[in-house]
Amino acid sequence: MNRFPKLLATVSACLVVVGSLAGCGGSSGSATTAAPLDASKANLPKTAGDINGTIDTSKVKKDLVVGVDNPYYLFHEDIEVASANGYFKEFGINSVDIKTVDDPLPPLIGGSLDLMLYDTDTAIAAARKSNSDLRFLSVYLGGEANILGVAPGINTAEDLKGKTITGGQFGSRNDAILRELLQANGMDPAKDVKIVSTGGQSETRFQALLAGTVQGASIQLRHELLLQQAGGKVLFKQTRDVPQVGWSADRLLRDSPETAAAFLAATLKARQFITNQANKATVLALMRGKKYNIPPAYEDVYPQENSTTYHVADGGFKPADMDKFIADQIGFKNVPPGTDWHQYTYLVPLWRAQKALGLPLNPALQGL
């Protein structure tokens, strides 16, 4: 999930080139020399009445380019539904072009992307490191399923001993949580199993498990049925509330703040449609029509992956959950020590979008 070593190299390279952020990723404008966006508490609205829920479509950028790091349909459906249902047009946006890239952070900082859907902690860590306008805006996935899938013949923790397993890249959140999961079930990660580092995302780990390259792997909800059909099983499973993935923006927040609010309003309206389970067939038909791969096993977990708390219906989060998440990530060395997430999270566009849609403000102003 997290890529802090890669992040440090990315941000450092961006800062080195001509002493500005303009050198990274095909910028469409000149370097920003003004002070970074101030998202401190002193500059936040004081009351709900101070938040303007009316989006001026004449001030909205008409054509956007956004980056997403995961090809799975779950990470694209808000945009596809908002486009198909006319929600973007409603809020003044003509088109949104999705770029699926391994790491959307460099092109976002460079200016060739307007927004990115990426790991929350990676965005916050990059915002602190770069001293730029990069800010985290809104939660996309607010749940986390920590699942250890295992090969055929492994039915107990005792059967797992001596086997090779992976949680992904060493130092990532998935790797750390896999070790926690083993410990919670009475196993010693350093002695009872051989943990190996693997690149790629959950799909890569799942395929390694099916191929027999490893005998255990951290997998996702959508993989459970396919694993069972292949003769394997889920050995350990834990779920919890974690604001793990969300939307972030950089230059857009200074150049066109109205656009950030418009984009969130359109995609949150789409998410309200998606998380209404009565619309499952319509959403899946649309995404299949767009050539996204959704086998029956992935369709079966639509209710879990598109619940209002997992695919967060209003884009908000509990500050206490963010506190714990960032504290955990500091402990895992994925976020610099002493990072205060409030300084690198800008919630005004989210609040404006929520107000435009008649939703309660989340997080509440009082909660911050």
Side-chain angles (χ1 to χ4, degrees):
M1 172 183 165
N2 298 289
R3 308 153 174 93
F4 193 53
K6 185 177 181 180
L7 159 68
L8 289 175
T10 295
V11 174
S12 297
C14 288
L15 292 172
V16 165
V17 178
V18 299
S20 76
L21 295 176
C24 227
S27 171
S28 59
S30 59
T32 299
T33 57
L37 183 73
D38 188 349
S40 64
K41 185 175 181 180
N43 289 289
L44 292 179
K46 301 299 185 293
T47 69
D50 296 331
I51 297 170
N52 180 10
T54 302
I55 295 172
D56 186 346
T57 58
S58 69
K59 297 179 179 179
V60 172
K61 185 177 179 180
K62 301 307 177 187
D63 301 299
L64 301 179
V65 182
V66 304
V68 179
D69 77 320
N70 195 319
Y72 185 48
Y73 90 95
L74 178 68
F75 295 84
H76 298 248
E77 60 183 342
D78 283 14
I79 292 174
E80 299 290 8
V81 169
S83 295
N85 289 4
Y87 302 153
F88 283 129
K89 293 286 181 67
E90 177 182 345
F91 291 100
I93 299 170
N94 290 336
S95 69
V96 178
D97 182 16
I98 309 173
K99 302 296 186 185
T100 305
V101 294
D102 287 340
D103 185 356
L105 185 56
L108 181 77
I109 292 177
S112 58
L113 293 178
D114 295 299
L115 299 105
M116 71 174 182
L117 182 59
Y118 208 34
D119 299 335
T120 303
D121 57 316
T122 304
I124 289 173
R128 174 170 178 179
K129 183 70 178 178
S130 66
N131 196 37
S132 68
D133 286 336
L134 173 60
R135 293 293 181 270
F136 179 77
L137 301 180
S138 170
V139 171
Y140 193 87
L141 296 184
E144 183 177 66
N146 305 312
I147 305 169
L148 177 61
V150 294
I154 300 175
N155 299 304
T156 66
E158 192 66 27
D159 295 335
L160 188 63
K161 289 185 177 180
K163 302 297 192 296
T164 300
I165 66 174
T166 183
Q169 183 179 353
F170 282 164
S172 69
R173 179 176 174 82
N174 284 326
D175 176 66
I177 288 176
L178 173 66
R179 296 168 194 266
E180 285 187 356
L181 197 58
L182 292 170
Q183 290 176 329
N185 286 277
M187 301 190 70
D188 185 340
K191 297 179 180 179
D192 292 338
V193 293
K194 179 183 178 182
I195 302 179
V196 296
S197 181
T198 55
Q201 299 173 341
S202 57
E203 205 66 37
T204 302
R205 299 193 296 274
F206 180 57
Q207 292 303 323
L209 178 58
L210 292 182
T213 307
V214 296
Q215 290 78 56
S218 171
I219 62 173
Q220 296 295 320
L221 292 168
R222 61 184 177 273
H223 299 134
E224 290 187 47
L225 180 57
L226 291 176
L227 179 60
Q228 293 168 9
Q229 292 172 345
K233 66 178 297 182
V234 169
L235 190 60
F236 306 137
K237 182 176 180 178
Q238 176 191 75
T239 59
R240 52 187 170 187
D241 293 335
V242 177
Q244 59 167 320
V245 175
W247 287 108
S248 299
D250 191 328
R251 300 181 185 193
L252 187 70
L253 297 176
R254 187 180 295 278
D255 296 343
S256 182
E258 207 75 13
T259 303
F263 177 84
L264 291 180
T267 52
L268 286 181
K269 187 167 183 177
R271 204 175 307 174
Q272 299 282 311
F273 183 89
I274 291 164
T275 56
N276 180 343
Q277 298 299 313
N279 297 322
K280 172 183 173 181
T282 301
V283 173
L284 291 176
L286 170 66
M287 299 308 288
R288 285 187 171 122
K290 296 289 184 177
K291 307 304 180 185
Y292 291 90
N293 179 36
I294 312 174
Y298 291 5
E299 179 178 340
D300 289 345
V301 295
Y302 185 100
Q304 295 110 293
E305 290 189 330
N306 288 292
S307 70
T308 56
T309 54
Y310 191 86
H311 189 188
V312 184
D314 62 5
F317 58 91
K318 296 177 182 177
D321 289 343
M322 187 68 83
D323 288 341
K324 184 178 187 314
F325 177 55
I326 296 302
D328 285 347
Q329 295 310 92
I330 290 173
F332 295 152
K333 303 186 186 307
N334 292 318
V335 172
T339 298
D340 179 359
W341 63 264
H342 297 80
Q343 295 180 20
Y344 308 104
T345 300
Y346 189 56
L347 296 175
V348 172
L350 173 63
W351 285 328
R352 292 191 64 199
Q354 290 171 339
K355 195 166 186 178
L357 298 174
L359 301 172
L361 303 186
N362 180 29
L365 287 169
Q366 296 80 2
L368 297 175

